[in-house]
Amino acid sequence: MDYEAADMREALRAGEEDLKALRASGEECHEKRSQIEVELVRKQAELKFLDETSRKELNSPVAELAAPDDPVPDAEAIAQARQECDDVRNRIESLGAVNAAAMEEYQEAQQRHDFLSAQRQDLIDSIRDTEKAIQDIDQVSRQKFAEAFEAVNANFRECFLTLFGGGIGEMRLTDQENLAESGIDIVCSPPGKRLQNVLLLSGGEKALAAVALLMAIFKYQPSPFCVMDEVDAPLDESNIGRLTKLLKQMADQTQFVVITHSKRTMEAAQALYGVTMQEPASPAWCR
């Protein structure tokens, strides 16, 4: 019985040790359970905050953002997503306050833009049409000028030959390639003289050359009237005779009124009109 009592006391002691260890383990488990409950409450609060934030900013609950079986992202992916979210938020905040009338202002600006675009296109079309018309006019003008120049030049040669009784007179373009900007030189060669510029001629020769050019223009584009004032003053009688002969030839299409003191010119006139004044040296008129 003593042995049995000793064994039982030993077993009791061992049982007490086991009980003590189980109690310590139970307390540890209870403490862990308390920590888990606290962590659960914190997680639930965070989840509720995230859900409210999601509904406020994304207009969607957290449960609808991702499927339950989706893998949980790691810390690096979460940090990257947070950085992207912050960048987007900063960009949104930098836009400033929301303008409720922005759509109306946009529509007005769009209508204004469409109107100005249509006006711009009309201007571009007008400029293109105007440039085309200018090109056409310029081309026709060059053609007409070339035709008129050739005709007047031919008439000038003929009239020059008649007034000078020989020689050569012609017009030359200073720039054959650019008719619109080209000048015109008058080159004359009276009988017995070499070809030279009209500015190098004598006074009578210049007068005859000018009359020849005038008559050449009248032959190309007749005028009903022509008033000539003392054009025969620097001419001798032979030149006056050739001038009056040319005037008679041109009198069929142009009526010439010549102011002159030359008797030779007066003799060739069809009608004479004298003008008298109190002062001497009154001019005579002939037609």
Side-chain angles (χ1 to χ4, degrees):
M1 290 177 68
D2 290 336
Y3 290 127
E4 290 178 359
D7 292 337
M8 292 178 68
R9 282 194 295 270
E10 184 65 25
L12 179 60
R13 186 181 62 82
E16 290 177 353
E17 292 291 335
D18 292 338
L19 179 60
K20 184 179 179 180
L22 290 174
R23 286 178 178 176
S25 178
E27 291 178 358
E28 183 178 356
C29 291
H30 182 72
E31 185 178 354
K32 288 182 179 181
R33 182 174 181 274
S34 299
Q35 293 177 355
I36 292 173
E37 289 177 351
V38 173
E39 185 68 16
L40 177 60
V41 172
R42 188 177 64 83
K43 294 294 183 181
Q44 288 177 345
E46 292 180 355
L47 181 60
K48 183 179 180 181
F49 174 76
L50 291 175
D51 186 71
E52 293 176 355
T53 304
S54 177
R55 292 177 182 274
K56 179 179 179 180
E57 297 184 0
L58 304 179
N59 198 21
S60 176
V62 175
E64 296 181 0
L65 296 178
D69 55 349
D70 288 346
V72 179
D74 54 10
E76 183 178 357
I78 295 176
Q80 183 178 0
R82 188 182 299 277
Q83 181 63 35
E84 294 177 356
C85 179
D86 293 339
D87 294 339
V88 173
R89 183 180 291 107
N90 293 332
R91 291 172 58 188
I92 294 175
E93 292 177 355
S94 64
L95 295 177
V98 177
N99 185 6
M103 181 57 67
E104 183 179 355
E105 294 177 358
Y106 170 77
Q107 292 176 353
E108 293 178 357
Q110 183 66 33
Q111 293 177 357
R112 179 65 175 171
H113 177 268
D114 295 341
F115 173 76
L116 293 178
S117 298
Q119 294 294 317
R120 177 179 178 274
Q121 187 62 40
D122 292 342
L123 290 176
I124 293 175
D125 295 340
S126 300
I127 292 173
R128 183 182 64 251
D129 296 340
T130 303
E131 291 177 349
K132 180 64 169 57
I134 291 174
Q135 292 176 358
D136 295 340
I137 294 173
D138 185 65
Q139 183 178 1
V140 174
S141 299
R142 292 172 185 270
Q143 180 181 357
K144 295 296 184 181
F145 175 79
E147 295 175 356
F149 179 80
E150 293 297 330
V152 172
N153 198 13
N155 296 335
F156 178 67
R157 294 190 187 98
E158 181 181 351
C159 293
F160 186 89
L161 184 63
T162 301
L163 291 177
F164 282 86
I168 300 174
E170 63 180 6
M171 298 184 299
R172 296 178 180 177
L173 295 174
T174 58
D175 188 356
Q176 294 285 347
E177 302 298 330
N178 187 6
L179 296 180
E181 303 294 336
S182 175
I184 298 177
D185 289 335
I186 298 178
V187 182
C188 300
S189 177
K193 293 186 179 181
R194 63 183 179 84
L195 198 65
Q196 56 187 343
N197 192 286
V198 69
L199 298 178
L200 301 178
L201 300 178
S202 64
E205 292 171 340
K206 289 180 181 179
L208 285 181
V211 173
L213 179 59
L214 179 63
M215 296 300 107
I217 296 175
F218 279 174
K219 283 187 176 183
Y220 177 75
Q221 190 71 33
S223 175
F225 293 97
C226 177
V227 179
M228 307 178 74
D229 186 9
E230 298 287 351
V231 295
D232 56 353
L235 304 180
D236 55 18
E237 289 193 1
S238 61
N239 290 331
I240 291 176
R242 288 190 291 269
L243 173 61
T244 56
K245 179 181 178 181
L246 180 60
L247 292 180
K248 288 180 180 180
Q249 294 176 359
M250 300 285 295
D252 294 337
Q253 57 186 5
T254 302
Q255 185 175 5
F256 293 96
V257 179
V258 182
I259 303 173
T260 182
H261 288 89
S262 173
K263 296 179 180 180
R264 184 69 179 270
T265 305
M266 295 180 187
E267 292 174 355
Q270 296 179 357
L272 294 176
Y273 296 92
V275 179
T276 60
M277 300 178 62
Q278 294 181 357
E279 298 180 0
S282 60
W285 294 67
C286 75
R287 181 180 59 182

